[in-house]
Amino acid sequence: MSETLTVELPEDVSREVERLARERGVTPAEFAARAVADKVGAAVSAAEYFAERGKRARPGDAERFFQPRRRRTSRVRATRRSEPTTARAELSLQA
């Protein structure tokens, strides 16, 4: 079953719909219907995903996720031995 929906588009968007539809060998109405269906599908999928994800959430999850993390710094110290082509690097991480 199909219904008619009238939508007013800005001229530049309308021209792009016509151009893209022509490139794909469909009518502008078919192109627009597919674009709307894709957008609705993505919105429904996202809503379902977040609804399902919300069921698994535990109190405090969001707060822990958005808390700033402590930065780890690294310090590299290189020492040379008697031969100039040999180098040893010591790496220590400090929290």
Side-chain angles (χ1 to χ4, degrees):
M1 180 173 144
S2 123
E3 292 187 24
T4 300
L5 173 67
T6 303
V7 179
E8 290 187 28
L9 299 173
E11 286 182 27
D12 57 332
V13 173
S14 180
R15 281 193 302 270
E16 281 300 301
V17 168
E18 290 172 1
R19 182 184 68 77
L20 292 167
R22 195 172 37 254
E23 286 177 2
R24 288 161 176 74
V26 297
T27 67
E30 290 170 325
F31 180 85
R34 179 59 194 216
V36 170
D38 288 347
K39 186 68 172 183
V40 168
V44 169
S45 295
E48 289 173 351
Y49 168 79
F50 286 113
E52 184 60 35
R53 180 60 184 96
K55 292 176 187 175
R56 298 191 318 260
R58 295 182 311 256
D61 280 352
E63 289 81 7
R64 282 190 295 277
F65 178 79
F66 287 109
Q67 282 181 346
R69 294 184 179 190
R70 290 180 31 190
R71 295 184 66 179
R72 297 182 80 184
T73 59
S74 62
R75 187 173 36 183
V76 176
R77 183 179 66 194
T79 57
R80 294 197 177 267
R81 294 184 182 179
S82 58
E83 298 178 24
T85 57
T86 306
R88 185 182 81 211
E90 294 178 16
L91 176 65
S92 65
L93 296 177
Q94 298 176 344

